[in-house]
Amino acid sequence: MSASSDHAGCFMCGLEQNADTAVVFRDPLWAADMVPGYDVPGWFVLRVRRHAERITGLDEAELGSFARRARDLVAAVTEATGAPATYLMVFGENHPHFHALITARGDGVPADRRNGNILRLREERADPEAAARLVPAVRRAYGRLAGGDAYPRSA
């Protein structure tokens, strides 16, 4: 993990223990993971590696690198899934640790499950095995798209 320690009881901080098979990348500031309970194929979380609440809790380095990480991860998920739309959502109420949920929206998603309603698919389309099979393709796409700005998966 980064220089900060795990925040006791924080779900997002606990993702530092994710197996490498669930990790798209980790750099000193950011990580992208497949998340238990949100394991719909094409769904990933981009999270700051130290415990910081809300975007206002990010330091200058985290804030300065967030947009690039988000752009590259959204592009990688879109490429790997072929989704016509990929959403980037930030809430933070249930898990008060700054993170963004990236969700690929496939052609087969009905109109009443698009936009913010895509979150209803969390239970309807959960498939941990299919979600895990996408990780290597997203990892490869991310590494290529992030180019020289990419870091090793684990730091």
Side-chain angles (χ1 to χ4, degrees):
M1 190 164 162
S2 63
S4 296
S5 62
D6 196 354
H7 190 268
C10 174
F11 178 76
M12 292 293 157
C13 286
L15 296 177
E16 285 295 317
Q17 306 308 311
N18 259 353
D20 279 346
T21 56
V23 177
V24 173
F25 80 90
R26 286 186 181 149
D27 71 27
L29 302 177
W30 295 97
D33 309 271
M34 187 180 81
V35 178
Y38 293 81
D39 36 20
V40 174
W43 288 25
F44 296 89
V45 165
L46 174 64
R47 63 183 172 80
V48 65
R49 291 189 70 194
R50 72 175 180 93
H51 187 78
E53 296 183 13
R54 296 180 286 284
I55 198 165
T56 56
L58 298 180
D59 65 25
E60 290 303 312
E62 293 158 346
L63 190 60
S65 58
F66 172 67
R68 180 176 298 273
R69 297 293 178 267
R71 178 198 66 191
D72 294 343
L73 184 58
V74 166
V77 170
T78 302
E79 180 180 303
T81 63
T86 304
Y87 306 141
L88 175 113
M89 298 177 277
V90 177
F91 298 106
E93 286 181 278
N94 293 333
H95 305 294
H97 174 125
F98 185 75
H99 65 284
L101 179 63
I102 288 82
T103 58
R105 196 265 303 149
D107 285 324
V109 173
D112 70 340
R113 293 295 188 264
R114 295 182 182 192
N115 300 304
N117 289 333
I118 198 165
L119 294 175
R120 293 182 179 167
L121 298 180
R122 178 178 169 203
E123 293 178 8
E124 294 171 11
R125 299 220 176 153
D127 186 341
E129 292 80 22
R133 285 193 301 271
L134 274 173
V135 172
V138 174
R139 186 183 299 141
R140 284 189 303 275
Y142 180 85
R144 193 184 74 262
L145 292 163
D149 198 33
Y151 291 85
R153 279 196 326 260
S154 298

